[in-house]
Amino acid sequence: MSDDITINLAEALNASACVTGTLLQVQAKKQLNALLKKFATQSKNIQQEKYSYEEWELEFNPQRYNNTIFISGQRGAGKTTFLRSVLLEQAKPNNKMKIKPIAFIDPTLIEVHEHILVQIIAKIQATVIHALSRTSDERQRYDFQACMEEMAEGLKLLGNGDKSKDQDPAFFLNKALKHAVGGQNLERKFNELIDKAAEILNVNLLIIAFDDVDTKTTEAFEILELIRKYLTSPKLVVLISGDPSLYCHIVQSQRAKELNNGNDAIKGMDELSKNLPEMVSHLEQQYLAKVLPVEHRIELKNLANLIEYKVKIKVKLKDRIEGTIDPSIEIKEHIENVISESLRINNKDIKPYVNFFLEQPIRTILQILKSVDESTEATKINSQSLFTALRDSYIGDLRKENIPIEKLSDQSIHPHVIGMALFNLCKNNGELETGFYARPDGNSSSYNSSMFVLSSVISNHLNPKESSFNQSAGRFLQLMLAGPAASTIFMNNVRAKIKTEQEEKNYIDYIGLNKSQNSFSLAAHFSRLLSTSRIELGVLRVLRTTQAEINHATLKREIKKTYGPNKGIAFGTRSDIAKFGIEKLAELETSLSSNKKPLKKIFLLSAKTIALSSHSVSVGNNKFDFVSIHCLLASLSELLICKKENVKNTISTLSKMPTYSSPDFISPKSTDDSSKDNEKAEMVGSSEIGHAEDIDDIDDIEKYVICWKEANENSRNMLSSLLLGKIWTRIHYTLQTISSNMNIKELLLSEAMERFIWVILNSFLIEEACYVFKGDEAIINKLSNAKNVASASTALTHNISNVIEAIAEENKVKLNEKLPLTYLMMTCPLFLPFLATVIPTDTDVAEKKEKELEGTQLLSSTLTDIIQSIDKKEEEEEEEEVKKAKENSENALDLVDKTKLQKIKLFKSIKSFIELNSEKSQKLTYLKDIEDQSEQAMSIISRFVIMGKFGDK
């Protein structure tokens, strides 16, 4: 016979006996057989008690044996199947050890109210009568009947007894004495009955089995007492199964009840009651050690232990495994396949899920696997069936953790429902830092099972059937903000500022996680919670100021330093420069409406990106303006999810600058002079203009976005909760670093956005390479030591170059399959203008540098014609300031040159990355416009003051 154990998932799973070849608990069966053999030998060697002894000798030296075998295991471990299988094997004819099972009793299935001992005797009688019916030995029949009758008096006392008060005293006394003698002899008479039954049946041992005793707590202790008092024959073996922890609880509860009974009325019991828990614990330990001897306990292993003990277990599936002729597969391998395919998590990362699953009751494991197998079509695993099976198996745990089961089952579930469930589960279990990875690696079983279910929910939500990659990516960004972002921001930026649970609820109410609203609103409400300084965690708090307060010369010099020092650059008049802040970008958009050159398109694209990132927060009678990378991600999610015909309206709606309320449940301390900002906000007044340009002006932007979506709609769709959490974690903490490294005194709006975009691209690149389902090992190896961006783009450039190098030798590379999310972000038309620059050829680099240092005009004459000429007096002031700056810093232009070269290298690597997927890159028609005109667009965007010395004249 093969050593492999095969479980057929196509067959019904029940608690009936199974043949030895399919019994999982092989080691436990060996232990049980050894104990039975020991008891059989012991029974033959014992000098049986001769009841002709004097009464006093029997009183002080009774012959009592405890042959109880405790089969322990958690609920669903297979105890019933194990007991039935063992009894079935021992009941076979020609048993060499001469053992006879006579009773299998499940108290939960018994409806009559008679004592369990009476039921045992009835089972023995039925077995013996059946055996005697085959013989004509009347002597044995008479002796057995005599034994039955001698127990009658003792059996009467197993009930409540006769409590009638109307009986004659003398009669009552005689009856009581008779009962007392009968009760004292009941154990001895029952042992004589066992001896006689064993003699008639010609066996050494009789077996009685009790199953599921601990599930009916009202009778569990009664059965334990029955074993202690009466089942003491050396020819009787008792098999009893259950969960040890439940037996402990049952015995402790009984002992505590006995010790507490009436103690309240006893003086001085208060002091003794302090020791009650310890006393109860000690009594429970000793009682169970006596009734269920430790040396007679057999533990049924869970699947994890069985596999560890090298037990070879296979499952037979409905359909054969692809590439084989055998539908059987090792159970651990099958579990790994089901989890990996359903959750879209690589085998190297599913260990927490597999370990949790293997530690579950075997019944639960097999039922889940059977459910998945029945829904599998042509070996393709149905991930929805895993969710359904997990949900139904752990519904109690889900309710305990307040998970909205009904909502999670909805195919059109809102991402905030998942985010809310994740947030509450993480917060309530102290797992806010990384709990949103949705891994079952906590300390609570209900937490772990709930996380397993949520991971399945997230996988199904992010990878719906018959859905484009764009929709999945949009959902990915939505859920990133609703789940990981909400948890991390609460942990790092909110929790320390609140004191009560009500204030925690206020946080949820404020950000709107408990509402079915769009992701932009959620992300916008993060801004005030994050902005304890002018720039923090990817959020800019923008000055509201008048043009009279702008240090124009300093601002223009900084723009020239960044985008090219030239005399011919046209800034316009003072009133054209940085009018009141970012909410006035729309005015410059409309002023360029007559220009149909690419410059106008790319500037509008850049301005629209700022608009999609911007909003205001009302603080009392004042307002603060914010530019947030979180809002930009939210806008991207909405654009990815919307249909192509709705792109224009979506852009128009999202690019308005909405105003939100400030949180009243916390008072964030600002590190800058917020009172000064308030004064400026009052001077400017309310901003209700927003970004309300003519909708026709966004036709080109609409085309860019649709082009981008079409290039990515067929990318590989393999997104997971783990990938979601990993990307967000890197984004969050890198934003923290890069924000703190920014020099706010000389920060341009375009530079801030550029650095935020570095973070997004780098985070997606590194984490997707490592955690995307079925990723590329060459890429993983190349990025094993990848670094975060800090104050320069060099780390991002290096990481992109490593990816290009890793896959350069492969033919027909499809980056939208290897790194679909990263490719989506790298090709985003809203990101690229802030990263793009003209890439010179190797032969004209030196000439280009020389022209830059000479101040050659870089901007087109078209822009110069559109914007008004610069004021001469202002130009003289500027030249004087530049002269002073050069005297103080001889290396200033070298620094500009270095930054310029870094930007060239980055954009060149991005272009190379995109062009690796040549088929897709040809569809990205906007790349040429962006490359040629982005610098000019950025020089205009930068005129809108956000902070620092430009506003401190």
Side-chain angles (χ1 to χ4, degrees):
M1 182 176 63
S2 172
D3 293 335
D4 292 351
I5 299 171
T6 302
I7 301 169
N8 191 345
L9 294 179
E11 295 179 352
L13 300 176
N14 52 46
S16 60
C18 59
V19 297
T20 304
T22 62
L23 183 65
L24 296 178
Q25 306 292 343
V26 178
Q27 190 63 31
K29 184 175 179 295
K30 290 180 180 179
Q31 289 180 261
L32 180 61
N33 287 341
L35 285 173
L36 291 176
K37 184 176 181 181
K38 167 189 166 185
F39 293 149
T41 303
Q42 173 184 273
S43 174
K44 289 189 293 185
N45 295 337
I46 289 178
Q47 178 64 38
Q48 296 296 321
E49 176 71 37
K50 302 297 183 182
Y51 294 105
S52 59
Y53 291 167
E54 298 292 335
E55 290 296 324
W56 65 268
E57 188 175 3
L58 295 175
E59 179 72 22
F60 300 113
N61 188 29
Q63 298 296 302
R64 308 181 84 244
Y65 299 89
N66 188 347
N67 292 344
T68 302
I69 301 175
F70 179 43
I71 312 298
S72 70
Q74 61 183 153
R75 304 301 305 165
K79 299 185 291 294
T80 301
T81 298
F82 180 78
L83 284 176
R84 290 187 182 279
S85 300
V86 168
L87 294 177
L88 185 64
E89 182 172 311
Q90 294 298 331
K92 291 179 180 179
N94 304 321
N95 187 311
K96 293 182 180 180
M97 289 192 291
K98 300 180 72 174
I99 298 174
K100 177 71 174 178
I102 57 172
F104 182 88
I105 300 174
D106 184 344
T108 64
L109 303 179
I110 298 174
E111 296 297 335
V112 295
H113 300 292
E114 60 190 11
H115 198 278
I116 298 294
L117 184 59
V118 176
Q119 297 177 39
I120 293 174
I121 293 172
K123 294 278 188 180
I124 295 173
Q125 183 184 38
T127 304
V128 170
I129 289 176
H130 178 73
L132 290 174
S133 65
R134 301 177 180 180
T135 69
S136 57
D137 192 337
E138 293 298 325
R139 181 66 185 174
Q140 285 187 330
R141 191 187 307 273
Y142 175 81
D143 291 345
F144 180 77
Q145 190 61 35
C147 289
M148 292 284 292
E149 292 174 356
E150 289 176 0
M151 288 192 301
E153 283 299 326
L155 291 175
K156 291 180 182 180
L157 299 179
L158 294 178
N160 294 327
D162 190 352
K163 298 182 180 180
S164 175
K165 297 182 180 179
D166 299 327
Q167 295 177 348
D168 177 74
F171 174 79
F172 182 79
L173 176 61
N174 289 333
K175 185 176 180 180
L177 291 174
K178 183 179 180 181
H179 285 176
V181 173
Q184 293 171 2
N185 291 332
L186 180 58
E187 178 192 4
R188 186 189 311 168
K189 295 301 181 181
F190 179 73
N191 286 345
E192 290 178 4
L193 180 69
I194 294 295
D195 290 342
K196 181 56 66 176
E199 179 185 340
I200 294 171
L201 298 173
N202 189 29
V203 295
N204 295 323
L205 291 177
L206 300 177
I207 297 180
I208 299 172
F210 294 101
D211 188 36
D212 283 337
V213 174
D214 51 347
T215 60
K216 195 168 184 178
T217 56
T218 55
E219 294 186 5
F221 190 76
E222 178 184 333
I223 292 177
L224 291 177
E225 282 292 273
L226 175 68
I227 293 172
R228 184 181 69 85
K229 292 178 180 178
Y230 304 118
L231 308 186
T232 58
S233 169
K235 291 183 177 291
L236 179 65
V237 174
V238 177
L239 302 181
I240 182 170
S241 67
D243 187 334
S245 60
L246 281 176
Y247 278 112
C248 291
H249 176 73
I250 290 167
V251 174
Q252 285 187 0
S253 298
Q254 180 66 25
R255 293 307 182 214
K257 181 180 178 181
E258 293 170 358
L259 292 174
N260 271 324
N261 189 22
N263 287 345
D264 294 341
I266 302 176
K267 186 177 180 180
M269 284 302 298
D270 291 343
E271 189 65 28
L272 292 175
S273 296
K274 295 179 181 179
N275 299 323
L276 184 61
E278 184 178 350
M279 292 165 43
V280 168
S281 178
H282 180 72
L283 288 171
E284 169 263 315
Q285 291 175 10
Q286 294 306 310
Y287 179 84
L288 288 179
K290 185 174 185 178
V291 179
L292 307 175
V294 175
E295 67 273 19
H296 295 169
R297 298 183 186 183
I298 298 175
E299 180 185 7
L300 299 189
K301 308 294 185 183
N302 59 30
L303 202 54
N305 296 138
L306 291 174
I307 293 173
E308 184 180 348
Y309 279 100
K310 307 300 182 183
V311 178
K312 296 181 180 180
I313 305 171
K314 289 186 174 183
V315 289
K316 186 176 182 180
L317 307 179
K318 180 181 64 175
D319 298 311
R320 65 182 181 85
I321 307 301
E322 188 173 356
T324 70
I325 59 173
D326 186 4
S328 299
I329 183 175
E330 287 193 14
I331 191 167
K332 185 178 181 182
E333 181 183 352
H334 181 55
I335 289 171
E336 290 173 345
N337 291 343
V338 168
I339 294 175
S340 181
E341 293 287 340
S342 299
L343 303 186
R344 270 75 171 185
I345 298 177
N346 293 312
N347 280 5
K348 66 182 179 63
D349 301 312
I350 62 172
K351 186 176 180 180
Y353 301 91
V354 174
N355 288 347
F356 168 80
F357 195 71
L358 290 175
E359 290 170 359
Q360 298 309 292
I362 292 177
R363 178 197 301 149
T364 300
I365 294 174
L366 295 181
Q367 287 178 351
I368 292 175
L369 293 181
K370 180 177 176 63
S371 178
V372 172
D373 186 54
E374 289 176 347
S375 301
T376 299
E377 298 180 3
T379 73
K380 185 174 178 59
I381 294 171
N382 185 341
S383 58
Q384 183 64 35
S385 67
L386 176 62
F387 160 70
T388 303
L390 290 172
R391 178 200 62 193
D392 294 344
S393 298
Y394 300 115
I395 193 166
D397 287 344
L398 292 171
R399 294 198 182 281
K400 177 183 176 183
E401 296 289 351
N402 296 316
I403 304 298
I405 305 169
E406 293 77 13
K407 291 183 179 179
L408 292 180
S409 303
D410 189 348
Q411 294 295 318
S412 57
I413 184 173
H414 195 281
H416 287 192
V417 174
I418 304 175
M420 186 72 180
L422 268 176
F423 176 82
N424 285 332
L425 190 58
C426 293
K427 179 178 70 68
N428 295 337
N429 289 274
E431 297 286 351
L432 283 168
E433 187 170 9
T434 57
F436 45 77
Y437 293 169
R439 294 185 297 197
D441 55 2
N443 297 321
S444 163
S445 60
S446 60
Y447 168 85
N448 290 336
S449 55
S450 297
M451 277 301 181
F452 204 143
V453 173
L454 284 179
S455 182
S456 180
V457 170
I458 292 171
S459 176
N460 291 331
H461 180 70
L462 297 180
N463 305 282
K465 290 184 177 180
E466 300 177 0
S467 173
S468 72
F469 177 74
N470 292 326
Q471 185 177 15
S472 293
R475 290 183 172 190
F476 188 90
L477 296 176
Q478 285 182 329
L479 197 52
M480 180 187 293
L481 296 169
S487 296
T488 306
I489 290 171
F490 176 80
M491 179 185 70
N492 293 332
N493 302 90
V494 176
R495 186 166 55 180
K497 302 172 185 176
I498 61 178
K499 298 179 181 179
T500 66
E501 290 186 3
Q502 180 58 41
E503 290 175 334
E504 291 181 0
K505 184 179 182 301
N506 289 342
Y507 166 73
I508 296 299
D509 292 339
Y510 175 70
I511 65 175
L513 192 58
N514 54 358
K515 305 178 184 72
S516 297
Q517 58 189 18
N518 65 37
S519 295
F520 188 94
S521 176
L522 177 81
H525 282 89
F526 290 152
S527 297
R528 185 61 177 160
L529 299 172
L530 296 174
S531 62
T532 57
S533 61
R534 288 280 177 79
I535 177 170
E536 189 164 351
L537 286 164
V539 177
L540 301 171
R541 183 148 60 87
V542 183
L543 288 173
R544 281 193 165 200
T545 185
T546 64
Q547 66 267 28
E549 295 177 300
I550 302 295
N551 190 330
H552 301 284
T554 306
L555 172 61
K556 286 186 286 185
R557 185 176 68 248
E558 189 68 24
I559 294 173
K560 286 183 177 182
K561 185 177 76 174
T562 304
Y563 296 106
N566 54 85
K567 294 183 177 180
I569 186 170
F571 281 92
T573 64
R574 287 177 181 270
S575 60
D576 288 329
I577 301 175
K579 286 185 176 179
F580 301 168
I582 59 169
E583 78 277 11
K584 296 296 182 176
L585 272 174
E587 292 189 4
L588 191 54
E589 293 179 27
T590 55
S591 71
L592 294 175
S593 60
S594 62
N595 177 26
K596 299 302 180 182
K597 300 292 184 180
L599 171 62
K600 184 251 182 177
K601 296 179 182 180
I602 303 307
F603 169 72
L604 284 179
L605 180 63
S606 308
K608 198 59 62 181
T609 302
I610 301 297
L612 294 171
S613 312
S614 305
H615 64 94
S616 297
V617 174
S618 178
V619 183
N621 295 325
N622 306 319
K623 285 186 179 180
F624 291 105
D625 295 335
F626 293 92
V627 178
S628 166
I629 192 64
H630 308 92
C631 288
L632 182 54
L633 291 174
S635 295
L636 286 181
S637 73
E638 301 295 331
L639 290 172
L640 286 165
I641 289 174
C642 75
K643 296 180 179 179
K644 293 178 184 177
E645 58 267 25
N646 296 329
V647 167
K648 180 184 287 188
N649 287 332
T650 302
I651 294 172
S652 179
T653 300
L654 291 172
S655 59
K656 295 176 181 178
M657 193 167 179
T659 299
Y660 299 96
S661 62
S662 181
D664 57 3
F665 56 95
I666 61 172
S667 298
K669 295 181 179 180
S670 178
T671 58
D672 57 4
D673 188 1
S674 59
S675 62
K676 185 175 181 180
D677 284 352
N678 289 342
E679 292 175 2
K680 293 178 180 180
E682 290 175 359
M683 292 168 58
V684 175
S686 176
S687 170
E688 300 297 341
I689 298 175
H691 297 236
E693 75 290 334
D694 186 339
I695 198 167
D696 290 336
D697 287 340
I698 62 175
D699 284 348
D700 293 322
I701 302 174
E702 176 195 19
K703 293 176 182 177
Y704 290 161
V705 172
I706 291 175
C707 175
W708 171 56
K709 293 181 66 170
E710 289 177 344
N712 287 277
E713 61 186 351
N714 295 320
S715 296
R716 187 168 67 104
N717 194 2
M718 291 293 179
L719 310 178
S720 68
S721 59
L722 181 61
L723 178 61
L724 182 81
K726 288 290 186 178
I727 290 178
W728 167 255
T729 300
R730 189 174 290 271
I731 286 176
H732 180 79
Y733 291 105
T734 310
L735 281 175
Q736 190 174 48
T737 301
I738 205 164
S739 297
S740 63
N741 287 342
M742 288 188 190
N743 182 358
I744 64 172
K745 290 185 178 181
E746 298 181 359
L747 186 64
L748 300 176
L749 175 58
S750 58
E751 290 181 304
M753 290 298 295
E754 177 186 8
R755 296 181 188 189
F756 293 158
I757 293 169
W758 293 348
V759 173
I760 301 301
L761 297 185
N762 198 57
S763 299
F764 271 87
L765 177 65
I766 295 173
E767 299 301 341
E768 186 176 28
C770 293
Y771 295 102
V772 70
F773 187 50
K774 297 180 180 178
D776 189 292
E777 287 298 325
I779 297 176
I780 294 173
N781 293 334
K782 278 290 184 180
L783 293 179
S784 58
N785 297 315
K787 296 181 180 179
N788 291 328
V789 291
S791 57
S793 61
T794 50
L796 175 58
T797 303
H798 182 69
N799 293 336
I800 295 174
S801 300
N802 278 339
V803 171
I804 294 171
E805 182 181 339
I807 60 180
E809 297 179 359
E810 299 184 31
N811 295 323
K812 297 182 180 180
V813 173
K814 294 185 178 180
L815 278 173
N816 60 320
E817 293 185 1
K818 291 183 177 294
L819 301 172
L821 284 173
T822 305
Y823 187 81
L824 180 76
M825 294 296 155
M826 290 278 189
T827 56
C828 179
L830 300 179
F831 286 171
L832 288 174
F834 296 88
L835 306 173
T837 185
V838 177
I839 301 177
T841 61
D842 294 340
T843 57
D844 66 359
V845 170
E847 181 182 353
K848 180 71 71 173
K849 292 179 184 177
E850 183 179 355
K851 288 183 178 180
E852 287 177 355
L853 294 177
E854 291 174 354
T856 301
Q857 180 175 348
L858 290 181
L859 290 186
S860 68
S861 58
T862 304
L863 178 62
T864 307
D865 295 338
I866 293 172
I867 305 177
Q868 299 179 16
S869 62
I870 190 169
D871 182 84
K872 291 183 179 181
K873 183 178 179 182
E874 191 176 90
E875 183 179 1
E876 292 173 359
E877 294 175 355
E878 176 192 345
E879 290 176 350
E880 183 65 25
E881 290 192 17
V882 171
K883 183 178 180 180
K884 292 180 180 179
K886 288 182 178 180
E887 292 175 355
N888 295 331
S889 178
E890 294 180 358
N891 296 323
L893 291 178
D894 290 339
L895 181 61
V896 173
D897 190 53
K898 180 180 179 181
T899 303
K900 175 72 174 179
L901 289 176
Q902 288 177 351
K903 188 161 186 173
I904 290 173
K905 288 181 179 179
L906 174 60
F907 189 60
K908 187 175 181 180
S909 66
I910 291 174
K911 282 192 64 180
S912 299
F913 182 91
I914 295 172
E915 289 167 357
L916 279 173
N917 202 4
S918 56
E919 179 184 345
K920 297 291 182 182
S921 64
Q922 292 174 4
K923 296 181 179 180
L924 302 176
T925 56
Y926 50 81
L927 288 177
K928 179 61 176 173
D929 290 347
I930 289 175
E931 180 178 355
D932 291 343
Q933 302 299 331
S934 287
E935 283 188 350
Q936 297 170 345
M938 289 302 102
S939 68
I940 305 173
I941 291 292
S942 300
R943 292 163 54 188
F944 291 83
V945 174
I946 51 175
M947 61 184 61
K949 67 182 181 181
F950 308 131
D952 300 328
K953 192 172 182 180

